[in-house]
Amino acid sequence: MTDKNKAGAGEIEPSKGKLGIMMPGMGAVATTFVAGVEAIRQGIAKPIGSLTQMGTVRLGKRTDGRSPKINEFVPLAQLSDLVFTGWDIFEDNMYEAALKAGVLEKSLVEQVKPLLSSIKPRKAVFDQNYVKRLDGPNVKKGKNKMDLAEQLRQDIRDFKKESGADRLVMIWCGSTETYIERGPTHESLAKLEKAMHDNDHSIAPSMCYAYAALQEGVPFANGAPNLTVDIPAMWELSKKNNAPICGKDFKTGQTMMKTILAPGFKARMLGLSGWYSTNILGNRDGEVLDDPESFKTKEVSKLSVLEHILQPEKYPDLYGNIFHKVRINYYPPRGDNKEGWDNIDIFGWLGYPMQIKVDFLCRDSILAAPIVLDLVLFLDLAKRSSALRGLGIQEWLSFYLKSPMTPDGLYPEHDLFIQLMKLKNTLRHLKGEELITHLGLEYYD
């Protein structure tokens, strides 16, 4: 490590030993992620879609020719060092769960069967009041939500001991919970803990997982639009225990397309009068989102994107009167192969109308799995970095998320390309390298 790095961005501890990945929810996303990591470790497949494995970061001037791979530039955990556990309301091991999810071809699942079969779900913290369309037998019992969180803390300690992991990260791969608004019980750690003891309805099961992780000093990523760690009480706990957090909601299909297209319209000052989005999907996620209360949580996450990117208050003539509608329809024959259809009404010079149609036949879990990999590796890096671990929210990871968390009063950055610049500049900063502004005037002196 250079003296410049020590002066600028503090120390980064080396990645030594095993990194344990803990996943509440062992369904389509979690099994696709773990099966994929094992397939890559065996040389069966490539880590396509993963910035940490395939991406590069430019250093210095374009003429310098310095663009190392990200995983060679910063000390990330190696795929060979990853070990896994999870919780689920169903008793299927990861092999059985992967076959039921139906994302991956059976021939591939069979090749990674030894690892998948060995990962059996721990009993989950679950309450059907928060996920109406699911129920299962593999569930913890406790006198209150604090008791359940303490059981999860014991699971974390047990896994660390059993697996020999040196470090841990938890990532929510479970279902979307019913909509909960931030309220008084969420405003401080003391109020949160009292509410957990009182079994208050404002404390969802995902909050028990997040609380357990953060109390153990374990970083937590939220892959669903649930409130979970997006409350002052969790920010307080995260900072107190140097356990980085990020969320919410993996940016996969339709929203990924919105964060690519909308910045393009804004860059060219093209107006937008309407954006109608509908989805059909048939996996467990689709079944859960068929419940209006869970859908509302997802809808709020999806609807916020355009408003933040397009800034209608600054550009009222272009974006001051947008009709934005999002629909998700459960359609079992489609399985995990989601179809996202967008009708976009734009207008250009002199107000003349134009239309764009997008039909994205995507595989949700295939898009989510590399996000899971990158988030756990980057959160582990943040935990080992003196410059990042005490910050709480890791906003530089917004690139991967539909509803990026920010401190109170700061609007989120949704533009995919600005998010990518933020992420890479954070890595440059950690290593004491010059930040890239793309000004370019130095080439013409």
Side-chain angles (χ1 to χ4, degrees):
M1 195 178 291
T2 64
D3 289 335
K4 187 179 180 184
N5 184 33
K6 289 178 182 175
E11 299 281 358
I12 306 174
E13 293 163 13
S15 172
K16 287 181 180 172
K18 294 179 185 175
L19 175 62
I21 313 301
M22 302 180 292
M23 295 159 285
M26 280 174 43
V29 170
T31 56
T32 303
F33 159 62
V34 175
V37 168
E38 181 65 0
I40 293 157
R41 292 197 289 209
Q42 291 186 26
I44 299 167
K46 300 280 186 188
I48 293 165
S50 167
L51 197 62
T52 61
Q53 304 306 302
M54 302 197 88
T56 61
V57 55
R58 191 190 108 201
L59 306 177
K61 295 182 179 181
R62 279 179 278 164
T63 47
D64 292 347
R66 297 168 62 216
S67 292
K69 288 184 74 173
I70 286 171
N71 60 8
E72 293 167 356
F73 177 57
V74 288
L76 299 177
Q78 301 295 308
L79 296 195
S80 56
D81 295 334
L82 303 187
V83 289
F84 309 96
T85 194
W87 296 263
D88 205 282
I89 63 172
F90 301 108
E91 294 172 335
D92 300 333
N93 65 41
M94 273 208 161
Y95 169 71
E96 296 160 336
L99 290 178
K100 285 184 181 175
V103 179
L104 302 172
E105 291 177 7
K106 191 170 188 295
S107 58
L108 177 62
V109 177
E110 292 297 332
Q111 287 177 278
V112 295
K113 181 178 178 179
L115 174 69
L116 295 185
S117 299
S118 71
I119 304 170
K120 298 175 175 63
R122 298 168 192 271
K123 287 191 174 183
V125 172
F126 180 76
D127 183 334
Q128 206 175 10
N129 289 312
Y130 300 88
V131 183
K132 300 253 171 39
R133 298 291 164 96
L134 294 184
D135 199 10
N138 199 39
V139 176
K140 292 186 190 298
K141 291 182 170 61
K143 61 185 179 185
N144 56 38
K145 293 175 182 180
M146 182 59 84
D147 180 29
L148 292 168
E150 289 299 329
Q151 291 180 46
L152 291 172
R153 291 183 70 179
Q154 188 59 51
D155 286 347
I156 293 169
R157 293 190 285 263
D158 289 346
F159 171 61
K160 188 171 187 185
K161 188 176 178 183
E162 294 158 9
S163 66
D166 291 73
R167 309 177 313 284
L168 302 170
V169 175
M170 188 183 291
I171 186 160
W172 178 269
C173 296
S175 298
T176 299
E177 296 170 329
T178 53
Y179 186 69
I180 295 176
E181 286 193 349
R182 178 174 150 185
T185 58
H186 304 136
E187 293 305 304
S188 73
L189 184 55
K191 288 178 180 177
L192 180 84
E193 290 176 335
K194 182 180 186 303
M196 291 172 74
H197 281 292
D198 293 344
N199 262 341
D200 196 289
H201 181 73
S202 65
I203 309 302
S206 64
M207 292 179 181
C208 295
Y209 284 97
Y211 176 85
L214 300 181
Q215 280 289 24
E216 293 296 315
V218 173
F220 184 95
N222 180 17
N226 313 329
L227 193 59
T228 315
V229 283
D230 199 10
I231 51 175
M234 296 292 187
W235 306 340
E236 183 184 335
L237 186 55
S238 168
K239 289 179 178 177
K240 177 185 167 192
N241 291 344
N242 285 326
I245 52 175
C246 70
K248 310 174 294 218
D249 207 3
F250 300 138
K251 190 197 294 193
T252 50
Q254 195 169 61
T255 308
M256 180 183 76
M257 296 305 294
K258 279 183 178 166
T259 62
I260 292 170
L261 292 171
F265 301 150
K266 184 180 171 189
R268 288 293 305 269
M269 290 287 111
L270 293 171
L272 179 69
S273 52
W275 198 314
Y276 178 81
S277 300
T278 190
N279 300 265
I280 54 173
L281 72 162
N283 57 11
R284 197 180 291 168
D285 197 28
E287 187 177 3
V288 167
L289 294 173
D290 209 31
D291 170 54
E293 291 182 62
S294 287
F295 173 69
K296 185 177 182 186
T297 309
K298 177 69 79 170
E299 184 182 34
V300 169
S301 168
K302 280 175 162 277
L303 284 174
S304 65
V305 172
L306 288 185
E307 187 177 333
H308 285 296
I309 291 175
L310 297 174
Q311 298 174 293
E313 71 287 351
K314 288 188 178 178
Y315 305 100
D317 291 340
L318 299 175
Y319 312 117
N321 191 28
I322 299 170
F323 185 85
H324 187 197
K325 179 69 89 177
V326 175
R327 283 278 173 265
I328 297 175
N329 298 296
Y330 178 48
Y331 182 60
R334 192 52 65 97
D336 197 69
N337 294 336
K338 184 171 78 174
E339 184 163 3
W341 185 82
D342 290 87
N343 175 79
I344 311 162
D345 284 280
I346 65 172
F347 55 91
W349 186 243
L350 309 180
Y352 275 71
M354 296 172 277
Q355 279 194 353
I356 298 169
K357 314 279 189 189
V358 179
D359 190 14
F360 190 11
L361 288 91
C362 63
R363 296 170 179 255
D364 233 24
S365 298
I366 294 295
L367 292 168
I371 291 177
V372 175
L373 175 60
D374 285 0
L375 284 176
V376 296
L377 295 183
F378 279 142
L379 276 180
D380 174 54
L381 176 71
K383 171 76 177 178
R384 290 182 282 112
S385 164
S386 60
L388 298 177
R389 59 175 161 249
L391 295 179
I393 298 166
Q394 304 293 311
E395 200 200 335
W396 62 285
L397 298 175
S398 298
F399 177 75
Y400 297 103
L401 301 157
K402 280 194 188 80
S403 299
M405 285 165 47
T406 59
D408 268 349
L410 180 64
Y411 70 85
E413 184 53 72
H414 279 281
D415 182 319
L416 186 79
F417 306 100
I418 294 175
Q419 290 174 335
L420 182 61
M421 193 184 300
K422 184 193 292 277
L423 188 154
K424 290 190 175 183
N425 267 340
T426 300
L427 299 180
R428 293 180 185 109
H429 171 70
L430 288 180
K431 294 289 285 182
E433 290 282 347
E434 204 174 326
L435 305 189
I436 301 241
T437 63
H438 298 285
L439 182 64
L441 294 180
E442 67 272 20
Y443 300 108
Y444 299 92
D445 290 343

